[in-house]
Amino acid sequence: MMVDDGQLDRSFAALADPVRRAMIARLSRGPATVNELADPFPITKQAVSRHIQVLEAAGLITRTRDGQRRPCHLVPAALEALTSWIDEYRLETERRFRRMEALLKEQES
Amino acid sequence: MMVDDGQLDRSFAALADPVRRAMIARLSRGPATVNELADPFPITKQAVSRHIQVLEAAGLITRTRDGQRRPCHLVPAALEALTSWIDEYRLETERRFRRMEALLKEQES
DNA sequence: TCTATATTCAACACATCAGTTGATCAAGGG
DNA sequence: CCCTTGATCAACTGATGTGTTGAATATAGA
């Protein structure tokens, strides 16, 4: 899975906001419009509309057309790109820890 | 794995910067000091020092003491908390997609 | 066509962030 | 006890982000 640096910037920045994370959670249960996404929050729909644009620019969601509505859809592959990036370094670190543990145990004996 | 909302804010925001991501990559290969982390970048050590503080506040790294040096260490569990959060919603979305595919296939027949 | 609904654009205020320079603190080595 | 090295603090600047209000656009429906 290849993502350019800018996409990582935008994706992580997109998730660094509780409102957008709540939208992600909501969208995991199915598509939703601006109005539906705005409902739980005490902010204007314009603000929600821009949150959606941020998520879309990050590639985390796509939008379709349904009459006047512009439903949002989560893109699981984009989420997977993030976990891949993180896991690469987490797994390397864990491997290193295990190697060090093994070395310490050898020293003891 | 339980993380408060603020930790998610700080963690994702911490990763939304290419300099800090490069530091994470470097630290996955072993501990490093401020000076070592600063080396690849054309910015001052003060700036690097603050990037490190951001990573530490996010819980992504810890620091130890070695004489004058304050080596940084990656915390794999903190990375794992992020992938868990993301995967919850990615997997839910993928399950939903599969259910919809199955339904469509049923309609056809 | 006229009106209501869904969404977006534009311009502004305010806060936060990443970087700088200069001063300061802490630990080791002569 | 100096002096050097590693690291941090403080104050400032410019850029970016999140929210607001008010106007504009687009589609649906009577």
Side-chain angles (χ1 to χ4, degrees):
Chain A
M1 181 65 60
M2 207 47 207
V3 267
D4 67 291
D5 223 55
Q7 281 294 340
L8 281 179
D9 281 3
R10 285 187 284 274
S11 295
F12 282 124
L15 296 182
D17 183 295
V19 171
R20 286 191 292 261
R21 282 200 305 278
M23 289 176 172
I24 294 284
R26 165 64 186 82
L27 289 173
S28 76
R29 294 193 291 277
T33 65
V34 174
N35 274 297
E36 289 165 349
L37 288 171
D39 198 50
F41 302 105
I43 59 177
T44 62
K45 299 179 184 189
Q46 290 96 320
V48 172
S49 182
R50 283 210 296 198
H51 279 300
I52 289 172
Q53 289 173 41
V54 170
L55 290 170
E56 193 178 17
L60 295 173
I61 67 172
T62 57
R63 310 193 66 179
T64 51
R65 169 68 75 177
D66 170 28
Q68 319 171 258
R69 320 244 166 70
R70 313 270 324 269
C72 303
H73 311 259
L74 208 47
V75 178
L79 295 176
E80 207 270 334
L82 297 185
T83 56
S84 299
W85 188 93
I86 297 174
D87 273 342
E88 179 177 346
Y89 302 110
R90 176 176 68 85
L91 293 172
E92 175 60 31
T93 306
E94 288 173 349
R95 278 193 293 273
R96 190 163 48 77
F97 281 9
R98 278 194 291 277
R99 279 198 298 273
M100 225 173 59
E101 266 180 21
L103 248 165
L104 282 180
K105 218 157 233 164
E106 208 169 296
Q107 300 282 19
E108 275 175 11
S109 63
Chain B
M1 182 62 62
M2 207 47 209
V3 266
D4 67 291
D5 222 55
Q7 282 295 337
L8 281 178
D9 281 4
R10 285 187 285 273
S11 295
F12 281 126
L15 295 182
D17 182 295
V19 171
R20 287 191 292 260
R21 283 199 305 278
M23 289 176 172
I24 294 284
R26 164 65 185 81
L27 290 173
S28 75
R29 295 193 290 279
T33 65
V34 174
N35 275 298
E36 289 164 349
L37 288 172
D39 198 50
F41 302 105
I43 60 178
T44 62
K45 299 179 184 189
Q46 290 96 321
V48 171
S49 183
R50 284 210 296 200
H51 279 301
I52 288 173
Q53 289 173 42
V54 169
L55 290 169
E56 194 179 15
L60 295 173
I61 67 171
T62 57
R63 310 191 68 180
T64 51
R65 168 68 74 177
D66 171 27
Q68 318 171 258
R69 319 241 166 71
R70 314 269 323 269
C72 303
H73 310 259
L74 208 48
V75 178
L79 294 175
E80 207 269 334
L82 298 185
T83 56
S84 299
W85 188 92
I86 297 174
D87 274 341
E88 179 177 345
Y89 302 110
R90 176 177 67 85
L91 293 172
E92 176 59 31
T93 306
E94 288 173 348
R95 277 193 294 272
R96 190 164 46 78
F97 280 9
R98 277 195 291 277
R99 280 197 298 272
M100 225 172 59
E101 266 179 22
L103 247 165
L104 282 180
K105 217 155 232 165
E106 209 170 295
Q107 300 282 19
E108 274 174 12
S109 63

